[in-house]
């Protein structure tokens, strides 16, 4: 893969992932609300919020991106219930709501532009 966009790049999970994804792409674009300054040679920083991410991705010729979501998207299901990727969102907090919006935005860009997104629900 030539390019990879990592969203939420100033967060804890993305910070941990940065050293693990060096072999996945020739260039990794790090997206966060603020510029990231501790860049490796193959990394580039783009200041963007959630609403800009898919547009930034498309403008840079990247056919897909990785969205770090959260188990908080389905946090109101009972622990005894089995929840898979087809389960309707039931966010348990405002944080879960923002992640639900991010997943919906990714779906919108797939349906409108064919842009692929890998969504990881962490937690």
């Amino acid at each position: 893969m030539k390019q990879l966009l990592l969203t939420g790049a100033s967060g804890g999970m993305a910070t941990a992932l940065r050293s693990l994804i060096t072999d996945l792409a020739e260039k990794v674009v790090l997206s966060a609300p603020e510029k990231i300054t501790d860049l490796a040679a193959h990394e580039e920083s783009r200041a963007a919020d959630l609403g800009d991410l898919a547009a930034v991705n498309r403008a840079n010729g990247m056919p897909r991106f990785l969205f770090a979501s959260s188990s908080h998207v389905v946090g109101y299901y009972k622990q005894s219930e089995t929840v898979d990727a087809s389960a309707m969102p039931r966010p348990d907090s405002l944080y879960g709501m923002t992640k639900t919006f991010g997943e919906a935005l990714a779906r919108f860009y797939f349906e409108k532009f064919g842009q692929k997104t890998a969504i990881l629900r962490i937690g």
Side-chain angles (χ1 to χ4, degrees):
M1 179 180 335
K2 289 190 175 207
Q3 298 182 66
L4 174 73
L5 174 65
L6 180 62
T7 64
S10 59
M13 185 59 68
T15 300
L17 281 173
R18 283 173 62 189
S19 64
L20 301 174
I21 62 173
T22 57
D23 296 332
L24 292 180
E26 294 173 22
K27 180 168 102 176
V28 177
V29 178
L30 306 174
S31 177
E34 66 283 335
K35 277 276 202 192
I36 296 171
T37 57
D38 62 328
L39 299 173
H42 69 287
E43 293 177 328
E44 177 183 314
S45 178
R46 299 272 170 112
D49 64 21
L50 187 59
D52 296 329
L53 293 179
V56 167
N57 193 26
R58 288 182 65 237
N60 285 283
M62 292 178 236
R64 62 189 130 184
F65 65 91
L66 171 65
F67 180 70
S69 190
S70 170
S71 61
H72 290 280
V73 168
V74 291
Y76 262 129
Y77 282 95
K78 293 179 182 175
Q79 287 186 346
S80 60
E81 292 182 78
T82 300
V83 178
D84 64 15
S86 66
M88 291 295 295
R90 292 186 65 198
D92 62 3
S93 60
L94 289 175
Y95 175 75
M97 288 293 299
T98 65
K99 292 299 186 176
T100 300
F101 174 75
E103 290 186 17
L105 183 66
R107 181 65 187 207
F108 167 76
Y109 270 85
F110 176 74
E111 291 181 2
K112 185 162 180 133
F113 304 110
Q115 186 171 25
K116 296 176 183 175
T117 302
I119 297 174
L120 300 177
R121 284 189 181 160
I122 302 163

